[in-house]
Each structure stands twice: as structure tokens, then as C-alpha cells.
Amino acid sequence: MAEKVSIVIPIYNEALNLPGLFERLSEALAKFTQSYEVIMVDDGSKDGSYQKILELSKGRPVTAIRLKRNFGQTAALAAGIEQATGSIIVTLDSDLENDPRDIPLLLARCSEGFDVVSGWRRDRWQGAYFTRKLPSVTANWLISTLSGTKLHDYGCTLKAYRAEYLKGVQLYGQMHRFIPAYVAWQGGTVTEVPVSYQPRVHGKSNYGTGRIVRVLLDLVFVVFMYKYLNRPMHFFGGWGVVSILAGVVCGSAVIALRLLGMHNPIVSLPVLAIFFIIIGLQFILFGVIAEMLMRTYYESQGRKPYLVGEVKEVA
Ligand code: UDP
Ligand code: MG
């Protein structure tokens, strides 16, 4: 396979993990037959990770990027992807939970023609079934169902992507994990391979269970964006019309009952009629605003969700 591979690694306060990471990475890269580059993105670490990266990178094809402050894992990945020149982009965590020596497994599936190969940490959360494993299985099931792309481990950073799908994609929040779904929506092919998993030795995870809520909120947004980004009026306007119709039905019932001289069984029926009509109008107005926002989104190009502090070609 002659395609160039870009390896993108987000780093936040991982100074103690970096020596091990470089060691395993070198071991993996020594066996590479194709050309490659390594892009290390320091996401505003405060423990000297950036200096460590520069030190360990000497004599290796590493590009080190330091973000101005801590922008979060997704933004760090986006900054690295922006810089990548390979036609295949591999991402992985820097805390040694992912093993760089698994990269060839992913590349092998890529060369079979898959556009995304997702790592699947089959052995993660052993011994913590109810607190970690079950929430993770549930979240992956929900994302798979809503997005239509079935994967066991959306959260695994170790993934390989065909670069053409990533360029021009803006990633916010926790959205890097939805890239496989996005690629599938674009008509790309997605598969997964089991990869090894080791719990963190140095430092601790930057996230707790609260992340699940944020991921799910991002999911709602991503699915909405996918379905309605080009036509928000159809969503809001549709519900607006339904609500106005409900209001008209309630209002007609009030008038009909009065004309027939019958007792109104639901006291609040007139209020409901007005309520539904106002809500419906609000929804339609909301649709108009969303349409305007959508146009701004499309027409104001060239924005990035991060600020690069430095880009260094380490020779
Ligand atoms: N990370 C980052 N910026 C952040 C938080 C994390 O670049 O603000 C990196 C971190 O160094 C690690 C990866 O993202 O390589 C995953 O982070 P973490 O291990 O905390 O998350 P978990 O493994 O629990 O999903
Ligand atoms: Mg981790």
C-alpha cells in the first residue's frame, strides 16, 4: 500500500505517558512500508508535555502542534487533522489506553477499501459492569440505532479514516466520535476491528460519567444536523402546522359546542386553542430563524473551532 498515513495524537497532561507512547509508536512505525507522518497535538498541557514531545521527537518525522489553551480532545484532533497531509488519517489516544502497535490492523482493513476502520476495545471496563460497561454498551447501542451505523465502540479514539472524508468537517463538542456515522451518511464504508486495551497507568481520565449526557446531547444535534441542516423549516414548520391545526380543532370545538348550546366538558379548551396556535406560530418563526442561521453557516466559510498557538516541523 503506497498511501501516506498521518497519525494524529491529542495530548493533555500526559508527560509521564509520552516515553511509553513514543516507544510503542517507534516499534509500530519500524514495520511500516508506506510513508507516514506523526502529528502530536498538545492541547494546552500544564505538565510540560509539549517540551517532552519536542525532546522525544528529535530525529523523527513528528509535527508538534501546541494549542493556545486547553480546547478539549475533539478540538485537538481537529487541529491535527487540519495539519495532516496523508490520504489516510489514524487517530489514537496518548495515555496508552490505545496501543500504536494495533495501527497495522486498521490499515489492513483500509487497504481492503473501507473508508473508516474503528477500533473496538472489547476488554474495556472488565470488573465494572454496572458503573461503566453497561452505560457504555447502552450509549453505543443508542448512537448505533439513531445514526444507523452499528459500532460497538464509538468512544475508541483509535480509528483510521480516509482523509477525503475528514477535510472540511468542523468538529465541535464531543463530536469526533460521530465521524464514522458522518462518513456513512456521506456514502462511505465503515467497519470495526477488535483492538487491545490497557487501563491508564499514569494520570487519570479527563472525563467522568457526566460525559455520557454531553455525548447524547451532541448526538441529538448531529442527527438533527444530518437530517435537517439543509431544511430546518421542514422540521420546525412541520410541527408548527401540526400545532396550529390542533389549535383550530380545539377552537372549532368550542364554537360548535356554543352554537349547539352544549356544555363544554373541558374547561380549558379555549385556552388550549390559543395555546396551540401561538406555539405553532412560534415554531414557524423559529423555522425562519433556523433557515437564516443555516444560510450563515454555509456562506461564512473558513472558520475554525480552535486557535493554533504554534506549528513546528521537528526535524
Ligand atoms: N485529551 C485532550 N484534551 C483534553 C482531554 C483529553 O487532548 O481536554 C486527550 C488525552 O491526553 C488522551 C485522550 O484525549 O490522549 C483521551 O482522554 P482521556 O484519557 O482523559 O479520556 P478517556 O480515555 O477516559 O475517554
Ligand atoms: Mg484515556
Side-chain angles (χ1 to χ4, degrees):
M1 188 172 60
E3 284 179 291
K4 179 171 176 182
V5 179
S6 298
I7 299 166
V8 175
I9 310 179
I11 295 151
Y12 182 55
N13 294 343
E14 307 281 8
L16 292 175
N17 288 317
L18 286 172
L21 178 71
F22 271 83
E23 205 172 289
R24 289 182 198 179
L25 202 53
S26 304
E27 209 178 298
L29 292 172
K31 299 194 185 116
F32 266 45
T33 48
Q34 68 271 57
S35 61
Y36 64 85
E37 65 181 351
V38 179
I39 298 172
M40 301 255 179
V41 186
D42 172 40
D43 186 17
S45 299
K46 293 167 196 78
D47 69 343
S49 288
Y50 188 63
Q51 285 66 33
K52 198 91 196 162
I53 295 167
L54 297 183
E55 206 177 286
L56 291 165
S57 301
K58 292 232 168 68
R60 303 174 206 246
V62 172
T63 302
I65 300 177
R66 183 174 61 81
L67 299 189
K68 279 275 194 201
R69 64 163 171 84
N70 179 235
F71 282 93
Q73 187 189 358
T74 299
L77 284 166
I81 288 166
E82 171 81 19
Q83 203 67 28
T85 58
S87 55
I88 294 193
I89 296 178
V90 174
T91 57
L92 74 147
D93 281 343
S94 52
D95 57 1
L96 300 177
E97 290 195 73
N98 294 144
D99 192 332
R101 293 172 292 195
D102 286 334
I103 295 173
L105 286 177
L106 304 185
L107 295 181
R109 301 309 300 273
C110 267
S111 59
E112 285 170 23
F114 285 102
D115 298 310
V116 176
V117 183
S118 173
W120 168 20
R121 298 162 296 181
R122 221 179 346 198
D123 300 332
R124 205 182 193 202
W125 305 137
Q126 275 177 352
Y129 188 81
F130 285 104
T131 51
R132 304 308 292 262
K133 180 100 187 173
L134 192 62
S136 156
V137 168
T138 312
N140 280 297
W141 172 81
L142 200 64
I143 299 172
S144 296
T145 306
L146 286 181
S147 70
T149 302
K150 205 172 161 345
L151 288 181
H152 286 94
D153 196 357
Y154 268 91
C156 180
T157 310
L158 181 55
K159 289 183 165 69
Y161 311 90
R162 212 158 277 283
E164 66 205 61
Y165 285 99
L166 296 189
K167 296 292 179 179
V169 179
Q170 302 283 19
L171 301 172
Y172 301 93
Q174 282 284 322
M175 293 184 188
H176 66 270
R177 62 190 65 234
F178 303 127
I179 299 173
Y182 169 81
V183 172
W185 289 335
Q186 305 300 313
T189 49
V190 179
T191 189
E192 63 185 350
V193 285
V195 293
S196 59
Y197 169 74
Q198 280 188 351
R200 246 181 199 277
V201 176
H202 300 292
K204 60 176 172 42
S205 170
N206 291 284
Y207 309 98
T209 35
R211 173 169 60 186
I212 292 182
V213 176
R214 292 198 290 275
V215 165
L216 292 181
L217 287 173
D218 281 348
L219 173 67
V220 171
F221 184 68
V222 164
V223 170
F224 177 81
M225 288 278 276
Y226 164 60
K227 290 219 165 109
Y228 293 105
L229 179 63
N230 298 319
R231 49 190 189 100
M233 191 60 179
H234 288 183
F235 178 80
F236 292 108
W239 285 108
V241 168
V242 168
S243 186
I244 288 176
L245 284 179
V248 168
V249 168
C250 291
S252 310
V254 172
I255 294 167
L257 288 169
R258 167 112 355 142
L259 287 181
L260 293 171
M262 284 164 71
H263 181 65
N264 179 3
I266 309 168
V267 184
S268 55
L269 209 53
V271 180
L272 264 184
I274 294 168
F275 172 81
F276 276 133
I277 289 171
I278 290 179
I279 291 283
L281 289 173
Q282 286 290 328
F283 256 76
I284 290 171
L285 274 178
F286 217 84
V288 172
I289 293 173
E291 284 280 329
M292 282 154 64
L293 280 175
M294 178 269 288
R295 273 149 225 244
T296 317
Y297 174 86
Y298 272 118
E299 287 160 26
S300 64
Q301 289 299 316
R303 288 203 208 166
K304 307 262 183 308
Y306 56 84
L307 256 178
V308 177
E310 187 179 358
V311 178
K312 202 165 194 159
E313 299 280 351
V314 183

